[in-house]
Amino acid sequence: MKIARTLIATITAGLLATSAFAMTQPEYKAAKDTISAEYKASKDKCNALTGNAKDICAKEAKGHEDVAMAELDARYKPSAKAEYKARVARADADYAVAKEKCDDLSGNAKDVCMKDAKAAHVTAKENAKVSEARAQPADTPAAKGAAVAEARKDAAAEKNEANYKAAKERCDTLQGDVKSKCVDEAKRMYGQ
């Protein structure tokens, strides 16, 4: 009797959890409309600003909309691909805002800011690729392990290259032997 009650409670909890995450077409459309309305309201608030602050505000508003739409799609039709798209949308939105913030700078500080933004973008996208590889079904655990290992290897190489470029850019303000040592240290640190 106790086992039957536990089984019924478990099945009921599972059904409630499933129905909580399932989204109907009308719910999806309503959520989409809400996201669009929030974007318009955020964009309208940006009109009160000027200069680069206005540009940053607009990028943030657009980024929030893009991420919200991608996450909504991932909830509406869950899949590894949809989750990957949501992660990439997040990375792209963060990158767009970071680049816009760099516009307030000039010279090497701006160059370093841009390289740092690019490195963060590459890192986020590569992490999304690794997560997608983990979520993909495979014929055997060994095949899945190999696919994830390959994705991690590729991601590490891409991230190291982007981080190296950012570190090298920081060295550009230096001169002579100090600059050479800085570049050598960056090469050593990021395996270039």
Side-chain angles (χ1 to χ4, degrees):
M1 188 68 157
K2 186 175 182 180
I3 294 173
R5 279 190 299 222
T6 304
L7 182 60
I8 291 170
T10 304
I11 291 171
T12 304
L15 289 173
L16 288 174
T18 303
S19 66
F21 292 112
M23 184 176 270
T24 65
Q25 175 65 29
E27 289 171 330
Y28 174 75
K29 184 172 179 347
K32 210 170 164 181
D33 292 343
T34 300
I35 292 168
S36 293
E38 288 173 357
Y39 168 66
K40 287 176 185 170
S42 295
K43 195 172 172 194
D44 288 343
K45 287 180 185 176
C46 296
N47 290 334
L49 302 172
T50 61
N52 200 41
K54 182 177 182 175
D55 296 341
I56 291 169
C57 181
K59 293 286 185 186
E60 287 174 339
K62 182 64 177 153
H64 287 302
E65 179 194 35
D66 292 346
V67 170
M69 292 298 272
E71 288 176 347
L72 176 63
D73 289 342
R75 283 193 315 271
Y76 183 55
K77 293 185 179 178
S79 69
K81 185 124 182 122
E83 182 59 34
Y84 170 76
K85 286 181 179 181
R87 288 175 187 258
V88 169
R90 234 176 274 121
D92 291 346
D94 290 345
Y95 182 50
V97 171
K99 284 192 319 184
E100 199 61 51
K101 287 180 179 179
C102 293
D103 280 351
D104 283 334
L105 305 172
S106 63
N108 185 259
K110 182 176 182 174
D111 295 341
V112 169
C113 181
M114 294 294 281
K115 296 286 184 182
D116 285 343
K118 181 66 176 173
H121 185 238
V122 167
T123 297
K125 286 182 76 170
E126 293 303 319
N127 288 344
K129 287 179 185 176
V130 171
S131 292
E132 183 183 31
R134 269 194 224 116
Q136 292 296 327
D139 293 335
T140 65
K144 183 173 188 114
V148 171
E150 183 67 25
R152 281 186 180 150
K153 180 181 166 195
D154 292 345
E158 292 294 325
K159 290 190 271 188
N160 279 339
E161 183 178 339
N163 285 320
Y164 166 69
K165 288 178 181 178
K168 186 177 158 203
E169 191 65 44
R170 282 186 192 80
C171 297
D172 279 354
T173 60
L174 306 173
Q175 295 178 5
D177 287 342
V178 176
K179 182 177 181 175
S180 295
K181 287 179 183 177
C182 180
V183 171
D184 290 343
E185 178 64 18
K187 285 180 181 177
R188 184 195 62 73
M189 184 177 283
Y190 297 109
Q192 301 297 314

